[in-house]
Amino acid sequence: MAVVSSEKTKELTRAQFIKLSGIVYRESGIVLNEKKYNLLMARLVRRMRKTKISSVSDYIRLLSDNNDEFNEFIDEVTTNHTFFFRENQHIEFLVNTLDNNKPLKIWCAASSSGEEAFSIAVQLLEYSFKFSIFASDISDTMLKKCRKAVYPVQRVKNVPRSILYKYFQKGKNRWKNYVRVKPEVRQHVQFAKYNLLSDKPFDTYDIIFCRNVMIYFDLRTRKNVVNALCRSLNPGGYFFTGLSENIHGLEHGLKTVLPGGYRKP
Ligand SMILES: C[S@@+](CC[C@H](N)C(=O)[O-])C[C@H]1O[C@@H](n2cnc3c(N)ncnc32)[C@H](O)[C@@H]1O
């Protein structure tokens, strides 16, 4: 395996790569194969700079001694890319299909920085649904962003203007390129840390979104995650995955209702 850093101490040997990718896999389920060597290296170097540690072996030692740094490292290697109204056909399907008189309990199970949960919330509010959303993620950094609910304007470029004006506050002065989700939307969404791999669901839901995270998992992890989530889905409830993910071949007993959309009989 090639060495990518000029500094000898920042070399990541094959054994260290295997060790670190094993840590990531066991903690998050994310598979970092050898094609992800540069990605892991880049993110590792970032953490080493932050912690002012110059050798990979010292950093690996720190990971086993320091729980905070362990969490920071897992945060660093997760991919958090998301934006408002991403793969919005799932939400359009819900508002067109469901009765807005029946209160909905929704779980957004890998919510990253919150855009997905708030996209769901503003549209359900727009169509006068009664609902609560539990939004979770493995990353503390992302959960902080969720709770702040402040986003650069580029993240909301897919949000229709009428919804933007109604449910978002425009920043002023140094925040002029940011928007904040209004409190009347935020009050419908609760955020908490939840690891899809190791935590046990504490409630049941009418709708579960688990989108654009299972692409990073192997088949065994996908199977376990889907089984656990399906157990917390109420009969007749809906389950959504990302459009490029597929849960075919897993024994989940769900009926496909649209691409990436399933219903529990
Ligand atoms: C690419 S984002 C997807 C965000 C959003 N669901 C969407 O579709 O835009 C993937 C998220 O999954 C989270 N994640 C990765 N592994 C996880 C795990 N084992 N448990 C919970 N969340 C996890 C990451 O922290 C990241 O925020």
Side-chain angles (χ1 to χ4, degrees):
M1 182 169 290
V3 168
V4 296
S5 170
S6 54
E7 280 175 64
K8 182 104 178 94
T9 48
K10 284 198 188 136
E11 289 171 5
L12 176 61
T13 64
R14 184 184 167 78
Q16 288 167 331
F17 175 82
I18 292 170
K19 174 132 193 145
L20 287 171
S21 53
I23 291 173
V24 173
Y25 179 70
R26 281 189 298 282
E27 179 60 18
S28 68
I30 297 169
V31 177
L32 295 173
N33 58 28
E34 297 204 354
K35 287 190 198 132
K36 297 284 168 64
Y37 177 83
N38 286 342
L39 179 140
L40 180 62
M41 185 66 200
R43 295 181 181 191
L44 171 68
V45 166
R46 235 184 286 169
R47 283 316 307 163
M48 287 172 64
R49 266 195 213 118
K50 276 250 159 78
T51 50
K52 300 189 171 49
I53 287 181
S54 54
S55 103
V56 174
S57 45
D58 286 349
Y59 185 77
I60 292 177
R61 223 166 292 125
L62 177 70
L63 284 183
S64 56
D65 295 344
N66 183 324
N67 206 34
D68 289 345
E69 185 51 35
F70 183 87
N71 287 336
E72 294 285 352
F73 176 67
I74 297 296
D75 264 20
E76 192 75 60
V77 294
T78 57
T79 298
N80 309 114
H81 175 71
T82 185
F83 49 90
F84 280 90
F85 282 54
R86 181 182 196 182
E87 299 179 351
N88 201 49
Q89 49 272 60
H90 292 154
I91 302 154
E92 284 163 15
F93 168 83
L94 292 177
V95 296
N96 291 327
T97 311
L98 301 181
D99 173 3
N100 64 1
N101 286 312
K102 189 180 163 272
L104 297 172
K105 263 171 71 185
I106 300 167
W107 183 9
C108 214
S111 61
S112 187
S113 33
E115 290 86 332
E116 182 179 47
F118 291 131
S119 299
I120 300 165
V122 291
Q123 292 175 85
L124 293 183
L125 282 173
E126 196 56 12
Y127 288 90
S128 309
F129 279 86
K130 294 165 201 64
F131 63 95
S132 62
I133 301 179
F134 168 53
S136 61
D137 201 276
I138 194 176
S139 159
D140 291 315
T141 314
M142 290 304 116
L143 290 166
K144 271 188 210 140
K145 292 189 180 199
C146 292
R147 293 187 182 110
K148 269 196 181 154
V150 173
Y151 301 96
V153 287
Q154 308 87 277
R155 293 280 178 95
V156 292
K157 67 178 192 303
N158 292 341
V159 179
R161 284 197 164 255
S162 56
I163 291 197
L164 200 54
Y165 289 133
K166 199 161 164 187
Y167 299 108
F168 294 79
Q169 293 160 326
K170 179 110 182 61
K172 288 186 188 136
N173 304 323
R174 77 184 182 96
W175 293 103
K176 75 174 183 330
N177 293 324
Y178 293 83
V179 293
R180 185 165 201 211
V181 180
K182 286 188 176 173
E184 53 265 42
V185 182
R186 299 206 308 268
Q187 70 176 2
H188 290 273
V189 190
Q190 291 225 312
F191 295 99
K193 185 163 179 158
Y194 185 96
N195 186 339
L196 287 165
L197 222 63
S198 48
D199 288 322
K200 298 269 165 294
F202 20 73
D203 210 343
T204 61
Y205 299 87
D206 304 306
I207 301 164
I208 298 178
F209 289 83
C210 184
R211 303 192 300 175
N212 301 304
V213 60
M214 285 191 282
I215 24 169
Y216 304 108
F217 295 163
D218 60 14
L219 181 67
R220 189 173 70 126
T221 308
R222 280 206 300 278
K223 208 188 242 170
N224 293 339
V225 168
V226 169
N227 281 343
L229 295 179
C230 286
R231 278 197 297 276
S232 4
L233 191 61
N234 292 328
Y238 291 92
F239 180 68
F240 295 100
T241 67
L243 293 177
S244 57
E245 294 167 314
N246 95 56
I247 58 168
H248 300 305
L250 307 184
E251 285 164 25
H252 44 67
L254 304 174
K255 207 174 133 259
T256 305
V257 288
L258 78 165
Y262 306 86
R263 188 167 194 206
K264 186 167 179 171

